[in-house]
Amino acid sequence: MEVNNRYITITNHIQGSAKESDFELKVVPLRLSVEPGSSAVILKNLWVSIDPYQLNRMKRYSSSQKTIQYAVRITPGQPIDSPGVARVLVSDDPEFVKDDLVAGFVHWGEYTVVKGGMLRKLDPEIDLPLSYHAGVLGMSGLTAYAGLFEICKAKKGDKVFVSAACGSVGNLVGQYAKLSGCYVVGCAGSRNKVALLKEKLGFDDAFNYKEETDLNSALARYFPDGIDIYFDNVGGEMLEAAVANMNTCGRVAACGAIAEYSEGAKRAAPNMVDVIYKRIKIQGFLVTDHMSLHSDFLSTTTDYIHNGEIKVQEDISNGVESIPSAFIGLFRGDNVGKKMVKIADE
């Protein structure tokens, strides 16, 4: 049997901000069969994750492209892989059989052919929506969990600042921190998002960074006793201001730098005298370095969700055609929570 596989790719390497004309929808035939001994698996994609780090893969050059497999440069015309959830259609891999539900790296399209890829069979005992495995129970959730607890060693009483706090990772960092007895302040880009953080997600306070003329003074106002942990999703001037307000032995989890992804953006230049004399730890990390935490993370987070202690935030678009606009919207701050695209019914 043969089907038409529709997928999104880039038309050229992107310099500066992404725009609709940088993407195209391709249609290619795909035979739903695999060669014996190939260990190949054909997946029907159900949900795909939309993440800002992909912009660095779409550039002609980024220093990130040589660091790890999932950060390699994307070739125009080729499928774009991303975390997602799928159903197995055909398998020559003994670990997977037809109709298994899996999470892993799939394409921004309707089907994916995987050979030796990082796939994980979903536990049928986890009675939660499949979309959660592309977000709160997937890479975004584990990133928040690992960054807060493994990198920053959060403990009760810590004063925690989270940037991009309404994003896929930030909103979870804040909720985990509150559940651990921390004082938590987040920043976001609209009054509605600020209200969500305080009224629904339980942040102690929040502010709209677009309304602040002096970020250093703003953080001093929200943290009169200083910041112990800064979970950085943006880089740029926000990192500089956070470092200026850090306490001695403060910890910074450098998770993302969305403010610096576009060409010509201002790069962060934190005061290194503060870093040295206040013994501040600034550590970059990748979620794939912390897969050993996955079992604890999944168990803890599933319990929190079932108990209503974590409020899941999803921002969903529908259909392959919506992927470019969903991606571009990340850089305008359109999303509230985890941005993902529903490709097909479950």
Side-chain angles (χ1 to χ4, degrees):
M1 179 181 174
E2 189 173 272
V3 296
N4 285 326
N5 182 24
R6 301 186 309 151
Y7 67 90
I8 296 294
T9 186
I10 54 173
T11 58
N12 50 263
H13 286 119
I14 297 173
Q15 302 301 317
S17 300
K19 52 189 182 298
E20 293 273 355
S21 59
D22 291 319
F23 300 90
E24 67 174 329
L25 177 68
K26 280 187 168 287
V27 183
V28 296
L30 174 66
R31 183 170 292 279
L32 298 181
S33 62
V34 294
E35 291 292 328
S38 65
S39 296
V41 180
I42 301 178
L43 305 173
K44 174 64 177 175
N45 301 336
L46 303 177
W47 296 89
V48 295
S49 174
I50 308 297
D51 302 288
Y53 80 87
Q54 297 280 12
L55 183 60
N56 291 321
R57 302 183 63 208
M58 297 172 184
K59 297 176 182 178
R60 188 173 301 280
Y61 172 76
S62 170
S63 58
S64 61
Q65 293 170 354
K66 296 182 178 180
T67 58
I68 194 167
Q69 180 59 35
Y70 71 76
V72 297
R73 184 173 64 183
I74 296 166
T75 301
Q78 295 302 304
I80 298 167
D81 56 335
S82 173
V85 177
R87 184 183 298 277
V88 174
L89 294 180
V90 184
S91 176
D92 188 59
D93 186 325
E95 291 190 28
F96 304 102
V97 298
K98 187 178 187 300
D99 289 331
D100 277 347
L101 292 169
V102 297
F105 280 84
V106 301
H107 292 160
W108 276 4
E110 294 178 319
Y111 299 89
T112 306
V113 180
V114 177
K115 294 182 180 179
M118 192 171 69
L119 290 180
R120 174 177 57 85
K121 191 181 299 187
L122 299 185
D123 183 352
E125 297 298 316
I126 298 178
D127 185 23
L128 291 169
L130 283 184
S131 61
Y132 285 16
H133 294 278
V136 61
L137 299 179
M139 293 297 190
S140 296
L142 182 55
T143 298
Y145 189 89
L148 184 65
F149 297 116
E150 187 75 3
I151 303 299
C152 290
K153 307 295 184 186
K155 62 185 184 300
K156 184 177 181 179
D158 278 337
K159 294 175 283 295
V160 178
F161 174 49
V162 187
S163 56
C166 267
S168 63
V169 174
N171 88 87
L172 294 171
V173 172
Q175 293 186 77
Y176 283 133
K178 282 302 301 175
L179 289 165
S180 299
C182 301
Y183 172 79
V184 182
V185 176
C187 72
S190 74
R191 292 182 181 181
N192 287 341
K193 289 182 177 181
V194 168
L196 175 72
L197 293 173
K198 294 194 291 185
E199 296 168 13
K200 184 175 181 180
L201 302 187
F203 282 57
D204 293 288
D205 216 331
F207 64 92
N208 181 355
Y209 69 89
K210 294 178 181 178
E211 296 179 347
E212 300 291 344
T213 57
D214 184 338
L215 293 175
N216 196 333
S217 296
L219 289 180
R221 188 167 72 249
Y222 285 98
F223 291 96
D225 297 319
I227 299 169
D228 298 311
I229 292 173
Y230 172 42
F231 200 103
D232 185 19
N233 292 303
V234 300
E237 294 178 348
M238 194 66 77
L239 174 59
E240 296 174 8
V243 165
N245 284 276
M246 297 291 287
N247 287 328
T248 299
C249 296
R251 294 89 77 197
V252 178
C255 175
I258 193 170
E260 302 186 22
Y261 288 165
S262 297
E263 297 298 321
K266 183 181 184 300
R267 302 296 187 247
N271 185 330
M272 293 307 296
V273 173
D274 279 346
V275 173
I276 294 166
Y277 281 87
K278 291 197 284 187
R279 285 87 81 197
I280 296 169
K281 181 180 81 168
I282 303 176
Q283 183 172 342
F285 73 102
L286 298 173
V287 65
T288 49
D289 295 334
H290 301 280
M291 297 309 293
S292 61
L293 299 176
H294 188 268
S295 179
D296 288 341
F297 150 73
L298 197 60
S299 174
T300 299
T301 306
T302 300
D303 286 345
Y304 280 151
I305 295 170
H306 280 304
N307 294 335
E309 294 173 293
I310 279 185
K311 310 295 192 301
V312 178
Q313 303 299 304
E314 295 181 322
D315 193 320
I316 297 169
S317 298
N318 290 285
V320 172
E321 299 89 344
S322 71
I323 290 176
S325 61
F327 179 71
I328 292 166
L330 291 176
F331 299 90
R332 297 192 299 256
D334 291 352
N335 62 300
V336 178
K338 176 61 189 177
K339 187 65 193 180
M340 61 183 73
V341 173
K342 183 180 182 180
I343 303 298
D345 290 331
E346 298 168 9

